[in-house]
Amino acid sequence: MFTSRPSDPTVALLWGDRWWIDGHPEPIVFGETGHAFKVLLAHFAEHGKPAKLRLIYQPPSLVSVPVQCPNGSRATLQAALQEEYPSIARAECAWSYEPIIGRRNETLLHYEPEPGLLPLVGTLREQGVAVEGAWPLATVLNLIPEDWPDTGALTVVAVADNQSAVFRHTSEGRREFQSATGVAAAELVATTVQQAFEREDAAMYIVSFDEAGTRLTTQVAGAEPFGRGDLTCRDVIRAALTLSLPQPNQLLPTPMRLTGNRLVTGLTTVVLLAVGVLGTQFVRDTLAQRDHAEQQTTRIEQLRAEVASLRKKEIEIRQLQTQLAAFTSHGRIGEKFLQSLAHRLPAQVVLTRVQANGDGFILTGGISGPGLVESDWRAWCGTLQRGKPLRQFAEPAGTPPGSDFVMKGIWQ
């Protein structure tokens, strides 16, 4: 079992309507998110304030969504995505994103539509709690598996009473996250487990926070594909302690630090002011700032154009995928329909043209020679209507035609 060192920060997970705190065996329910800080401070008043605190922040309001984006810095992504996600441009709203890997122009964006985390952290800091960082639950679930499959495809399912969360990493490198409460939480887990079992290239990991997770682990233990089922909240804490503060998935703004270089720069500026170079330096700074602003404006427009192009390509790909799925589906329908046409087809009936699409079919033909009896004609028509997919003639097929005929039908 993992045991944190005394020097390690304390980890507190806010998930849904409760806290899970390092060293405390049971979750602490707080109800509304606005009361979360009161419950946490009451816990620290009883058990002592930690020297450092790391928050895993996953209230119901936090959104995690895959996005197309340029491969750049936090400021670059903010400039490119703020039009579609306005809250990331608001200083009072927390947001972050998963590291952009390789040349992939996509990431998993985390943001809160309304302020929540920063007021919480501000209140904790005012009360003497040193919060050093905060991350979404998706970031931590991504780090829990230590034995990734060779395909890179895995699913991590976190389960607690009345709530669940799912992190997926596909073999193509796409990252996804979902969370739910109540009945939707059970449906999310059931769907995820079924999908994982239908794939042979993905491993599944279950993180149990309480008896609800333990029951799920027992139900799927021994099944394939199955990565690990002995993971608990302690593994979430272990993963949280490995997180790096400067990474882009950090939800809190990076504080300004007075480094040696900055100190030297500051002293140099004071000296220059003292010898009367303020006027020249001011002009230079103003011109440099103007040039920088113009470059930033140009770059923002370029990034927006890149994002628009990426989104257009994504839409085109999805449309092609939809058309391909429809084509494949229609192909299966047509194949079965052709097979049913030959069944019990009277010898006197000659089909000269067969048309079928996603809506229905048209049969064109005629009668060759005498001898077609009504019972054979009706039997063949009945076979066509009973086949799969089910069909219905636009007009009742009754008495055999005397010569040429056109039969129209639709899929039911």
Side-chain angles (χ1 to χ4, degrees), residues 84 101 145 319 351:
E84 184 171 358
I101 302 173
Q319 290 174 344
L351 296 176

Side-chain angles (χ1 to χ4, degrees), residues 95-143:
W95 69 280
S96 68
Y97 62 96
E98 296 303 314
I100 302 172
I101 302 173
R103 297 183 179 180
R104 297 185 63 85
N105 292 102
E106 64 181 31
T107 185
L108 187 61
L109 176 69
H110 314 285
Y111 68 93
E112 51 180 10
E114 297 296 333
L117 176 61
L118 298 185
L120 169 65
V121 171
T123 302
L124 293 176
R125 287 174 173 170
E126 289 174 359
Q127 299 300 317
V129 180
V131 181
E132 69 171 16
W135 295 264
L137 180 57
T139 299
V140 185
L141 295 183
N142 184 27
L143 296 177

